[in-house]
Amino acid sequence: MSARRTAGSPVYGTPPIMESMSWKTEMVERALSYPYDVPREAYVLIDGRVSGLGADGRVLAPDWVAGDGVGETLAELLAVTGEPLHERIPVLGYGSNAAPSQLRRKFADAGPGCVIPVLK
């Protein structure tokens, strides 16, 4: 005799991750905040903080701690991190993937000192 499925019962049950209310809340909040804000100009994400890049390639960050990149060129900043621009692999940031909020989420495990340049 085979088991019968009743209306509305899941075939395989509910995955444990779906049971977490915080997971559901995060997904709903992320969906409601779409489309994400994307800066019009090039910027650099330093430890999750957005800093503008001037036309001369210098980091313009009034909210960044002095001595941690402000006034340096992007090349100087990346050389200090040990990952010069010419050694990095470019990634296309189109649509929401160019938004700081998406980059923060996707690179959350990158650790302290993470520098992500977003060039236009």
Side-chain angles (χ1 to χ4, degrees):
M1 184 169 177
S2 64
R4 293 187 68 187
R5 206 175 144 236
T6 60
S9 66
V11 176
Y12 300 108
T14 303
I17 195 167
M18 294 294 286
E19 294 295 327
S20 167
M21 184 55 83
S22 64
W23 183 84
K24 292 177 187 177
T25 302
E26 178 187 329
M27 293 296 289
V28 169
E29 286 174 0
R30 192 165 18 129
L32 291 174
S33 66
Y34 188 84
Y36 312 120
D37 291 331
V38 177
R40 292 178 189 233
E41 304 297 328
Y43 67 94
V44 61
L45 202 61
I46 306 171
D47 282 334
R49 293 178 161 175
V50 175
S51 301
L53 286 174
D56 62 355
R58 296 204 179 272
V59 177
L60 311 170
D63 64 338
W64 191 246
V65 179
D68 286 335
V70 175
E72 294 180 87
T73 66
L74 181 58
E76 291 167 340
L77 179 62
L78 294 176
V80 170
T81 67
E83 301 171 340
L85 192 58
H86 69 276
E87 291 181 11
R88 289 176 168 239
I89 298 171
V91 176
L92 180 62
Y94 184 78
S96 69
N97 287 323
S101 59
Q102 273 293 67
L103 294 174
R104 281 186 204 103
R105 187 178 68 80
K106 291 183 176 189
F107 291 94
D109 295 334
C114 180
V115 177
I116 303 170
V118 179
L119 309 176
K120 299 194 177 205

